[in-house]
Every structure is written in C-alpha cells, then in structure tokens.
Amino acid sequence: MEETKHVSEWKDEVKPVLISKKEEFISMGYAEASTEDIWKCLEKKIWKKNVEKRLYEVVQDIFHLSTNKYVSYLTVEAYQEDDLAASIQALSNDSNSD
C-alpha cells in the first residue's frame, strides 16, 4: 500500500521536481519564478481541499501546474500585498493627523 501524507510533508522529497518546474517557467520567459512561489501556488490553488496525497500525486500536480494558474496566483498575491500596503499607509496617515 502506498503511503499518503499531508502535502507539506512531501516538500523536501519533491524539491527536484519543483526545481524542474521553476526551470520550465524560466525557459518560458518567467524569469522571476521560484520554487517557493510554485509551492505556495500549489497550496492555495490546487491543494486547498485535498491535503492528503501520495507522492506520485504531488509530483503529478507539480508537473501539471500551468503558467496560467501560476501567473494568476502571482497577480492575486501582488494585488493583496498592494492592498495591505495601502491600508497600512492609510492607517499611518490617519494616526499622524491626530
């Protein structure tokens, strides 16, 4: 019987696969691609419901991650960070006017 683990427990074992995916994205013109961003994208977009998987399923998910999903994830994250920065700035400005 094949072992299932929470996907986070497979991270070290699938590092070579993440590196391969990063190199694929870089070769497609996404020079800022990183293994950490790819992993976070998978956690938020692919594995949000299926947290227990077999090793081959995790590898398959990494290989099947499309550039569209990856770029969509990065775009949403960038907007959320911008909104957070704007909120902090607004709060800072409000407290300075008191």
Side-chain angles (χ1 to χ4, degrees), residues 78-94:
Y79 280 128
Q80 288 175 345
E81 286 176 16
D82 285 347
D83 287 346
L84 178 59
S87 297
I88 291 169
Q89 182 65 35
L91 289 172
S92 296
N93 289 342
D94 285 346

Side-chain angles (χ1 to χ4, degrees), residues 2-91:
E2 295 183 30
E3 182 179 11
T4 60
K5 296 183 193 177
H6 188 276
V7 290
S8 63
E9 295 178 52
W10 291 117
K11 188 175 182 181
D12 288 337
E13 293 176 62
V14 297
K15 193 74 165 175
V17 182
L18 290 168
I19 292 168
S20 175
K21 182 52 91 169
K22 176 187 86 169
E23 290 170 355
E24 175 188 333
F25 285 170
I26 289 171
S27 73
M28 296 173 77
Y30 300 100
E32 299 297 319
S34 73
T35 57
E36 195 57 36
D37 282 341
I38 292 168
W39 185 260
K40 289 177 184 175
C41 174
L42 289 160
E43 286 180 323
K44 285 193 174 183
K45 295 281 190 180
I46 307 298
W47 299 324
K48 54 188 170 191
K49 293 180 184 168
N50 298 324
V51 293
E52 294 271 327
K53 290 195 171 251
R54 292 179 175 90
L55 177 60
Y56 77 87
E57 293 172 316
V58 174
V59 170
Q60 181 178 9
D61 289 342
I62 294 168
F63 279 138
H64 283 106
L65 180 64
S66 69
T67 55
N68 289 341
K69 251 192 208 329
Y70 180 66
V71 171
S72 171
Y73 161 78
L74 292 176
T75 302
V76 169
E77 290 298 305
Y79 280 128
Q80 288 175 345
E81 286 176 16
D82 285 347
D83 287 346
L84 178 59
S87 297
I88 291 169
Q89 182 65 35
L91 289 172

